[in-house]
Amino acid sequence: MEQQLTVLDAQAFARDLVNLRSNDIYPETLAQHVKERFADKNVNVKVYDEEQIRELGLTAYLEVAKGSDNPPRFIVIEYLNEPQEQKPLVFVGKGITYDSGGYSIKPSDGMKTMNADMGGAGTVIGAIDAISSNELKVNVVAFCENSISGRSYKPGDIIKARNGLTIEVDNTDAEGRITLADAVNYGVTEYDPEFIIDLATLTGACLVALAETYTGAVTNNQETFEKLLAAAKVSNERIWQLPNDDTIRKYNESEVADVKNSGGRLGGTITAGQFIENFIEEKPWVHLDIAGTAYLSKPQGLYEKGATGVHVRTLCNLAKKYSK
């Protein structure tokens, strides 16, 4: 019972973070919340500022971040246990603390709940909190904002990612996948994980297809997905697998760069996941699009309107499978 209460408390913390508005939560203050939450736990929190992010080679990440007056932060949370040679699990959460859409600006109604665009990061923070007494090895979380200024990146720009691939910016409102590109690449190259799972409020297409009930999933490794799905079923959190089809992948092709950051309207949830796949160095990977499930427009089941902390319990249950 005590373990269950710990998980529920962590999920409530994730919900509180995501429910905060953008005048209260931005990269610096979110980093402070994380440091305070883990201050008394056996967890190593690293917060990288703008110059350190540049030194880490997160060039695409910085292209998204540079338009905001609030400087970006890249947050890495490590929970390491013996044996040290055990491959870590890597969870990556999209942490856009507010998403205006950039130059591809959203309509006013579309901006009202964009404080929730850090839902993936909230889940990952909550998950590492919940399993800090278990064997989860590492957790990587990225935060920045997507606003407009004379410094912002623009549609038509060609930018370079951490792994050297060039990205044609087709739509600045497809910013989360660009930050995730560098974040997942950092995770796989620095930690050589057992697998990597990213969570993101990524596409309106997922909300249209699966409403606010199912999380959409894209994977390159069926075995890893099945383990995740089993953990989700125990948590009563619903996940629907989408095809990782090479024919659909072609929508991301660019005439001027290695890849486009948007494949357009057709198969939008799938192409967004496939974009991220370019940066995982062929590691076992699952992408979870929580655009519909992270933040509810009306009460559903046990949840009130607003943030849900979806998949905190799923990730905790998954980590238990790897406990030594």
Side-chain angles (χ1 to χ4, degrees):
M1 176 59 110
E2 184 176 348
Q3 284 187 336
Q4 291 176 335
L5 290 175
T6 299
V7 174
L8 291 174
D9 179 64
Q11 187 174 8
F13 178 61
R15 293 171 69 184
D16 288 344
L17 286 178
V18 178
N19 277 327
L20 287 171
R21 298 304 191 252
S22 63
N23 55 332
D24 289 319
I25 199 81
Y26 42 91
E28 290 172 295
T29 58
L30 186 49
Q32 189 60 38
H33 280 291
V34 173
K35 288 192 288 187
E36 290 173 359
R37 184 71 176 186
F38 294 112
D40 299 324
K41 297 189 177 184
N42 185 27
V43 171
N44 183 28
V45 177
K46 303 176 183 177
V47 178
Y48 296 99
D49 62 22
E50 188 170 1
E51 186 56 39
Q52 291 168 321
I53 293 169
R54 184 171 289 105
E55 291 173 0
L56 292 176
L58 307 183
T59 48
Y61 180 92
L62 286 174
E63 286 290 329
V64 175
K66 70 182 184 181
S68 175
D69 286 336
N70 288 317
R73 294 293 181 266
F74 184 71
I75 300 178
V76 178
I77 308 171
E78 297 177 334
Y79 184 74
L80 300 175
N81 297 280
E82 299 294 342
Q84 290 290 339
E85 63 269 16
Q86 181 183 354
K87 283 192 173 185
L89 315 181
V90 170
F91 300 154
V92 181
K94 174 187 171 185
I96 305 294
T97 54
Y98 186 78
D99 176 23
S100 70
Y103 277 102
S104 304
I105 194 166
K106 297 178 185 290
S108 179
D109 284 347
M111 290 193 215
K112 289 179 181 177
T113 59
M114 281 300 102
N115 57 290
D117 213 26
M118 50 160 285
T123 290
V124 170
I125 294 165
I128 194 72
D129 187 24
I131 61 181
S132 57
S133 60
N134 293 298
E135 290 294 318
L136 181 67
K137 297 302 180 182
V138 66
N139 184 9
V140 183
V141 188
F143 310 104
C144 73
E145 287 187 293
N146 187 31
S147 299
I148 295 176
S149 76
R151 302 185 305 273
S152 295
Y153 75 139
K154 303 169 183 67
D157 285 357
I158 298 174
I159 62 179
K160 183 174 286 189
R162 183 177 185 269
N163 69 345
L165 288 182
T166 54
I167 301 168
E168 177 188 356
V169 179
D170 183 69
N171 187 329
T172 63
D173 197 23
E175 85 298 329
R177 68 199 70 179
I178 295 178
T179 65
L180 284 169
D182 277 351
V184 299
N185 188 257
Y186 179 88
V188 297
T189 58
E190 294 297 313
Y191 295 100
D192 186 26
E194 182 78 22
F195 58 73
I196 184 165
I197 295 173
D198 76 81
L199 303 94
T201 50
L202 209 59
T203 67
C206 192
L207 187 62
V208 171
L210 301 175
E212 296 179 335
T213 304
Y214 283 86
T215 291
V218 177
T219 185
N220 70 345
N221 187 284
Q222 195 62 30
E223 181 181 356
T224 300
F225 175 76
E226 294 297 339
K227 291 177 180 177
L228 176 68
L229 184 62
K233 287 180 177 178
V234 172
S235 308
N236 196 30
E237 295 182 313
R238 299 170 181 173
I239 297 175
W240 191 267
Q241 185 177 6
L242 298 166
N244 190 0
D245 188 283
D246 284 341
T247 303
I248 299 174
R249 190 187 310 276
K250 292 182 183 297
Y251 290 116
N252 284 337
E253 291 180 354
S254 169
E255 295 182 356
V256 294
D258 292 312
V259 65
K260 280 194 303 183
N261 80 319
S262 174
R265 295 182 62 209
L266 301 181
T269 300
I270 299 169
T271 57
Q274 290 175 326
F275 174 86
I276 297 168
E277 189 179 3
N278 289 291
F279 306 92
I280 60 167
E281 310 295 336
E282 300 184 348
K283 291 289 184 181
W285 157 81
V286 181
H287 162 67
L288 295 177
D289 192 328
I290 58 174
T293 52
Y295 197 89
L296 302 178
S297 60
K298 59 184 178 180
Q300 182 181 130
L302 298 174
Y303 298 109
E304 296 295 323
K305 178 180 178 179
T308 64
V310 69
H311 301 312
V312 167
R313 288 176 292 148
T314 293
L315 296 185
C316 184
N317 286 331
L318 181 63
K320 289 177 182 177
K321 301 286 186 183
Y322 291 85
S323 296
K324 296 297 183 180

